[in-house]
């Protein structure tokens, strides 16, 4: 059966309150995917209809008292995607190839930016957003590696598939319907895994260097127009000027020569180490039987001295005024990129065919599981509305370590440092120390205001911002993260290690009233302290 959801879309949404960045981002990257947590990660917006504040027929009621350990809570949200019903080979692919490669490459990229920034505050600020984004990815992937290492998820996937195969073979009808399934899945991964490293490196090469990206863009543009006559070519550029200019501006990311060279050089050296079916001919041609590390270094140095593609201001302006002018640029980097483009296209075609075949097989795998277990199981998340429930609950992430389900302002004061992720301005710090907050915002039987909460709900990427509700449907927090051990939630959920993190409603109200003096907003929200 189907359930119809009807939505009213309000596109006039205005920001009315955010906590100071030192409060909202307290702990920074150091505490990302970490518990205990002490940041006030929330904002307040107001929706408008026809220019006036929107008044809904019903709205969530805020419970200033929050919740308690072992209380029932639930979340409604729009998680992105999970991959729990993928075949066993998918998890091997993740564990042996994707997760270690991406985390290693992102770690290197972060180190290059940090080294380049040094003590330069302006550069540090300029790189901050990029480093935070990359750090989020690499920490997530390392958590998944740890989760797959510490659990028997992969082993159990293979055992389940063998069990299903045995069951298939016990019945002629099942054999006719499903007998081919695991053989076909295996055959696809037999094509994917031997070329996994090359495929991953080619994909990341285009994000490694602004100069190489520009070269690949120009090379492909030349390729697309090489057989056009003069008038056809002019028409092509007139019709596609805006689209191509936007594409160039979006894709061309150039920091500076030092960063660009290091990233391109490192990736080419990684690619030069590949052999056999993963041998990438254009890269091997740069080496020509020489020491790979030295040959790549000399080639990059030589070409960066001559290239016109590192002048980001000129190139961006050129792309925005007359994209055809880019074709007049001729240099070895563009010739090299043209050869890489052809290799990448071949890999893309092969990957597309493999993914298309797998996409046709996965529904059959779901049908098989339903037939065997004689029940409908929970599908993977797919960015649609999902309901998850559980309890406010601590856990033991490792031997002899116990995490309680609430943190308090006392923990902030314990963490504060003079600079870095745990910096708190004296003006705010003094208020955290001196404010006599309403008793309702404090942990029972203590004088400590609650900051964050921990719970065993099944959340994943996309659930950030989801409301946390108690058994009466009252708002008691805002979900924003998972604990490090719960990064594995994308692959499996487990009571022992899956924990999500939210900012407690008590800290939201504390920050709004005592740090932001936003009493009119609290009145509007129906909160009395």
């Amino acid at each position: 059966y189907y359930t119809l959801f009807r939505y009213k879309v309000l596109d006039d949404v205005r920001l009315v309150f955010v906590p100071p960045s030192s409060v909202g981002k307290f702990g920074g990257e150091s505490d990302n995917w970490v518990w205990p947590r002490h940041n006030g990660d929330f904002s307040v917006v107001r929706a408008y209809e026809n220019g006036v504040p929107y008044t809904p027929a019903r709205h969530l009621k805020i419970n200033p008292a929050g919740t308690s350990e072992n209380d029932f809570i639930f979340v409604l949200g729009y998680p992105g995607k999970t991959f729990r019903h993928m075949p066993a080979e998918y998890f091997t692919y993740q564990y042996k190839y994707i997760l270690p490669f991406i985390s290693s490459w992102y770690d290197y990229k972060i180190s290059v930016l940090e080294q380049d920034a040094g003590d330069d505050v302006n550069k540090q600020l300029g790189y901050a957003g990029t480093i935070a984004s990359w750090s989020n990815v690499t920490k997530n992937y390392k958590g998944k590696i740890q989760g797959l290492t510490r659990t028997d998820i992969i082993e159990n996937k293979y055992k389940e598939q063998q069990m299903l195969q045995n069951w298939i073979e016990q019945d002629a009808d099942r054999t006719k319907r499903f007998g081919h399934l695991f053989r076909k899945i295996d055959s696809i991964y037999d094509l994917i895994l031997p070329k996994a490293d090359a495929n991953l490196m080619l994909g990341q090469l285009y994000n490694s260097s602004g100069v190489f990206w520009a070269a690949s863009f120009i090379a492909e543009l030349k390729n697309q127009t090489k057989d056009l006559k003069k008038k056809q070519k002019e028409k092509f550029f007139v019709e596609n000027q805006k689209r191509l200019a936007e594409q160039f501006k979006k894709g061309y990311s150039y920091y500076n020569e030092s960063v660009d060279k290091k990233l391109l050089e490192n990736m080419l050296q990684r690619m030069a180490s590949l052999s056999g079916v993963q041998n990438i001919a254009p890269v091997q041609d740069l080496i020509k039987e020489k020491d790979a590390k030295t040959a790549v270094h000399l080639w990059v140095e030589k070409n960066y001295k001559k290239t016109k593609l590192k002048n980001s201001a000129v190139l961006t302006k050129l792309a925005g005024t007359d994209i055809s002018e880019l074709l007049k640029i001729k240099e070895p980097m563009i010739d090299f990129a043209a050869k890489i483009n052809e290799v990448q296209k071949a890999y893309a075609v092969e990957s597309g065919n493999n993914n298309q075949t797998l996409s046709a097989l996965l529904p059959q795998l779901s049908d098989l599981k339903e037939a065997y277990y004689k029940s409908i199981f929970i599908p993977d998340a797919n960015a649609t509305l999902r309901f998850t429930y559980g309890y406010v609950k601590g856990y033991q992430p490792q031997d002899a370590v116990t995490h309680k389900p609430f943190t308090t302002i006392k923990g902030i004061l314990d963490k504060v440092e003079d600079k870095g992720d745990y910096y708190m301005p004296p003006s705010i710090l003094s208020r955290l120390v001196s404010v006599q907050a309403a008793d309702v915002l404090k942990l029972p039987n203590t004088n400590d205001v609650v900051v964050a909460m921990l719970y065993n709900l099944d959340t994943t990427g996309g659930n950030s911002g989801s409301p946390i509700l108690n058994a009466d449907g009252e708002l008691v927090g805002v979900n924003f993260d998972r604990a490090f051990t719960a990064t594995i939630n994308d692959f499996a959920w487990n009571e022992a290690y899956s924990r999500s993190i939210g900012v407690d409603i008590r800290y939201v109200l504390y920050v709004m009233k005592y740090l932001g003096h936003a009493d009119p907003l609290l009145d509007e929200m129906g909160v009395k302290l």
Side-chain angles (χ1 to χ4, degrees):
Y1 63 89
Y2 295 89
T3 300
L4 175 65
F5 288 91
R6 297 182 64 187
Y7 296 90
K8 184 169 191 174
V9 178
L10 301 172
D11 55 14
D12 185 357
V13 180
R14 308 178 193 181
L15 183 66
V16 296
F17 182 87
V18 289
S21 60
S22 56
V23 172
K25 296 176 64 177
F26 184 78
E29 189 52 41
S30 299
D31 279 358
N32 192 19
W33 303 105
V34 168
W35 182 265
R37 201 63 167 271
H38 297 87
N39 58 320
D41 191 353
F42 73 94
S43 60
V44 180
V45 298
R46 184 188 291 111
Y48 287 75
E49 185 176 36
N50 300 322
V52 298
Y54 175 69
T55 303
R58 292 175 296 277
H59 62 84
L60 295 179
K61 178 183 177 182
I62 293 175
N63 186 338
T67 187
S68 301
E69 185 171 4
N70 296 320
D71 276 359
F72 174 88
I73 55 173
F74 66 95
V75 157
L76 283 169
Y78 293 83
K81 291 185 177 181
T82 55
F83 308 92
R84 299 173 186 177
H85 298 301
M86 297 295 285
E89 292 82 359
Y90 168 85
F91 295 92
T92 297
Y93 181 36
Q94 291 284 326
Y95 184 58
K96 290 187 176 181
Y97 298 97
I98 294 180
L99 299 177
F101 171 77
I102 295 297
S103 57
S104 168
W105 173 235
Y106 276 43
D107 278 345
Y108 177 75
K109 293 203 294 182
I110 291 167
S111 71
V112 170
L113 291 191
E114 290 178 338
Q115 183 180 8
D116 185 68
D119 296 326
D120 188 325
V121 176
N122 289 329
K123 278 191 174 183
Q124 290 174 357
L125 291 173
Y127 292 155
T130 301
I131 289 176
S133 177
W134 290 348
S135 297
N136 192 56
V137 172
T138 187
K139 205 166 186 178
N140 178 292
Y141 279 29
K142 289 173 183 175
K144 287 184 171 72
I145 292 172
Q146 182 199 69
L148 290 173
T149 301
R150 292 173 57 178
T151 66
D152 51 9
I153 290 173
I154 297 178
E155 180 184 357
N156 286 342
K157 285 288 181 180
Y158 280 102
K159 285 182 178 179
E160 181 188 44
Q161 288 188 182
Q162 185 58 57
M163 176 187 68
L164 292 171
Q165 182 62 38
N166 293 340
W167 183 70
I168 291 170
E169 294 172 356
Q170 294 170 8
D171 181 84
D173 290 338
R174 292 198 294 264
T175 300
K176 182 178 179 180
R177 185 181 178 189
F178 300 114
H180 66 287
L181 183 58
F182 292 118
R183 288 196 303 274
K184 284 191 174 181
I185 290 174
D186 288 343
S187 70
I188 295 301
Y189 279 97
D190 285 343
L191 297 174
I192 293 173
L193 298 184
K195 296 183 178 180
D197 289 323
N199 206 358
L200 287 165
M201 290 181 191
L202 281 166
Q204 291 298 314
L205 174 62
Y206 289 84
N207 298 322
S208 66
S209 156
V211 164
F212 177 81
W213 191 93
S216 68
F217 180 91
I218 295 170
E220 181 57 25
L221 201 55
K222 289 183 177 184
N223 183 58
Q224 290 177 12
T225 59
K226 65 181 179 181
D227 296 326
L228 298 180
K229 294 180 179 179
K230 184 178 180 181
K231 287 188 177 180
Q232 291 176 317
K233 191 176 289 189
E234 290 174 354
K235 181 181 179 182
F236 174 85
F237 285 119
V238 169
E239 292 177 347
N240 294 279
Q241 167 67 38
K242 184 177 180 180
R243 176 182 64 83
L244 291 171
E246 290 176 353
Q247 182 183 342
F248 185 86
K249 186 176 181 180
K250 183 178 180 180
Y252 182 54
S253 178
Y254 180 80
Y255 296 107
N256 57 54
E257 184 170 339
S258 174
V259 170
D260 218 65
K261 284 197 302 186
K262 286 180 181 178
L263 294 179
L264 179 60
E265 184 175 324
N266 185 273
M267 181 53 70
L268 291 179
Q269 287 172 349
R270 291 175 185 238
M271 296 170 76
S273 68
L274 300 174
S275 60
V277 296
Q278 299 196 99
N279 188 315
I280 298 175
V283 177
Q284 295 301 324
D285 290 342
L286 300 182
I287 300 168
K288 297 177 181 177
E289 308 277 331
K290 299 176 183 177
D291 173 70
K293 186 174 182 179
T294 302
V296 168
H297 174 72
L298 292 174
W299 185 87
V300 170
E301 287 290 334
K302 177 182 177 181
N303 282 279
Y304 267 80
K305 286 180 181 178
K306 300 178 179 180
T307 185
K308 301 174 182 177
L309 304 179
K310 59 187 178 184
N311 194 328
S312 57
V314 170
L315 247 62
T316 303
K317 183 179 179 180
L318 200 61
T321 54
D322 187 355
I323 200 79
S324 64
E325 286 295 309
L326 292 177
L327 270 65
K328 296 179 181 179
I329 303 174
K330 296 179 180 180
E331 57 181 68
M333 184 70 79
I334 296 174
D335 297 334
F336 172 71
K339 296 175 183 176
I340 290 290
N341 285 350
E342 293 308 306
V343 176
Q344 170 62 14
K345 287 176 187 177
Y347 268 85
V349 169
E350 186 174 351
S351 295
N353 291 336
N354 291 336
N355 291 333
Q356 186 176 9
T357 303
L358 282 174
S359 295
L361 294 172
L362 293 179
Q364 298 177 45
L365 180 57
S366 296
D367 291 343
L368 171 60
K369 288 182 178 181
E370 285 189 11
Y372 178 82
Y373 292 111
K374 294 182 173 61
S375 65
I376 298 175
F377 50 86
I378 299 172
D380 274 311
N382 60 1
T384 56
L385 183 64
R386 287 171 78 90
F387 169 90
T388 175
Y389 65 90
Y391 299 89
V392 178
K393 197 172 184 180
Y395 76 126
Q396 289 186 294
Q398 59 194 68
D399 185 43
V401 175
T402 300
H403 284 326
K404 295 182 178 180
F406 294 106
T407 58
T408 66
I409 287 178
K410 181 180 182 299
I412 296 177
L413 303 179
D414 291 340
K415 284 183 174 180
V416 165
E417 296 177 356
D418 293 336
K419 60 181 180 178
D421 287 343
Y422 299 113
Y423 173 73
M424 186 71 73
S427 58
I428 296 178
L429 187 59
S430 63
R431 287 189 239 171
L432 293 177
V433 174
S434 62
V435 162
Q436 295 299 311
D439 290 339
V440 72
L441 306 180
K442 299 175 183 177
L443 202 62
N445 304 316
T446 74
N447 196 39
D448 297 325
V449 173
V450 179
V451 173
M453 58 193 296
L454 190 70
Y455 37 92
N456 64 357
L457 273 60
D458 185 3
T459 68
T460 187
N463 270 122
S464 293
S466 297
I468 306 169
L469 309 172
N470 63 14
D472 295 320
E474 299 169 326
L475 186 65
V476 293
V478 182
N479 182 84
F480 69 83
D481 204 0
R482 285 171 280 162
F484 188 65
T485 53
T487 54
I488 197 68
N489 276 16
D490 292 353
F491 300 153
W493 179 90
N494 187 284
E495 161 61 24
Y497 54 74
S498 292
R499 291 295 184 276
S500 298
I501 302 170
V503 57
D504 195 288
I505 197 65
R506 287 167 283 193
Y507 192 50
V508 172
L509 301 178
Y510 175 92
V511 171
M512 292 181 69
K513 181 172 180 63
Y514 300 109
L515 301 184
H517 306 294
D519 292 87
L521 287 179
L522 295 177
D523 291 340
E524 187 177 344
M525 294 158 63
V527 175
K528 302 295 182 183
L529 295 176

